[in-house]
């Protein structure tokens, strides 16, 4: 059964298999798109007025109003410095000693490896 359906964006007539915007590659679909685009650089939502093409509005934002600063965005991954004297290693995650509460690298994580002062005797000789 061919039931003529009118596209609400481009107002052309299609069958039920081609009524979706993607199915007939509707050139006016952007008029009905209610998604808020996000700047790929600063992750800020960009307001788009009805009838505007989101790609052009986001491009204009990137050229003029974008607050992206590449130097500021550089994130350090290895920030947890080992507390063992003389060790300069840094780990991605905190490795905390259960006895003294200090943060150590993988090599010095055990109480005997960092001369732990937390309790009188270490719990294991690992």
């Amino acid at each position: 059964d061919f039931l003529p359906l009118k596209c609400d964006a481009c107002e052309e007539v299609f069958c039920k298999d081609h009524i979706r915007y993607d199915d007939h590659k509707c050139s006016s679909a952007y008029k009905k798109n209610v998604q808020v685009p996000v700047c790929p650089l600063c992750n800020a939502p960009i307001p788009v007025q009805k009838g505007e093409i989101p790609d052009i509005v986001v491009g204009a934002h990137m050229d003029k109003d974008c607050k992206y600063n590449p130097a500021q965005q550089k994130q350090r991954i290895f920030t947890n410095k080992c507390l063992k004297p003389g060790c300069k290693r840094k780990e991605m995650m905190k490795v905390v000693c259960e006895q003294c509460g200090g943060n150590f690298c993988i090599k010095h994580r055990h109480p005997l490896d960092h001369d732990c002062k937390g309790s009188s005797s270490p719990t294991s000789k690992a």
Side-chain angles (χ1 to χ4, degrees):
D1 289 322
F2 178 80
L3 296 175
L5 301 167
K6 192 175 193 181
C7 175
D8 62 344
C10 66
E11 299 188 4
E12 292 188 34
V13 177
F14 297 97
C15 67
K16 67 178 176 104
D17 295 330
H18 295 101
I19 191 63
R20 290 184 38 227
Y21 301 138
D22 292 338
D23 293 338
H24 69 271
K25 296 180 179 59
C26 186
S27 60
S28 301
Y30 69 90
K31 295 176 184 176
K32 299 294 181 174
N33 189 357
V34 294
Q35 296 178 357
V36 177
V38 176
C39 176
L41 299 176
C42 67
N43 291 325
I46 311 300
V48 177
Q49 302 301 321
K50 197 169 196 146
E52 289 182 321
I53 300 172
D55 290 342
I56 294 173
V57 176
V58 172
H61 161 80
M62 289 167 60
D63 292 340
K64 296 177 186 172
D65 304 325
C66 190
K67 304 286 189 249
Y68 175 70
N69 183 354
Q72 188 180 35
Q73 295 296 325
K74 185 179 178 185
Q75 296 178 348
R76 298 180 189 260
I77 297 174
F78 297 94
T79 57
N80 298 295
K81 189 176 182 317
C82 180
L83 294 177
K84 168 94 172 162
C87 183
K88 298 193 184 304
R89 296 249 349 197
K90 294 180 180 178
E91 297 294 337
M92 191 182 321
M93 298 174 58
K94 285 189 174 190
V95 181
V96 179
C97 175
E98 293 180 3
Q99 294 180 9
C100 67
N103 184 43
F104 298 96
C105 66
I106 297 293
K107 185 177 178 183
H108 299 120
R109 71 186 182 271
H110 296 295
L112 290 175
D113 294 331
H114 64 261
D115 301 324
C116 187
K117 307 288 188 232
S119 72
S120 59
S121 64
T123 56
S124 71
K125 294 187 185 257

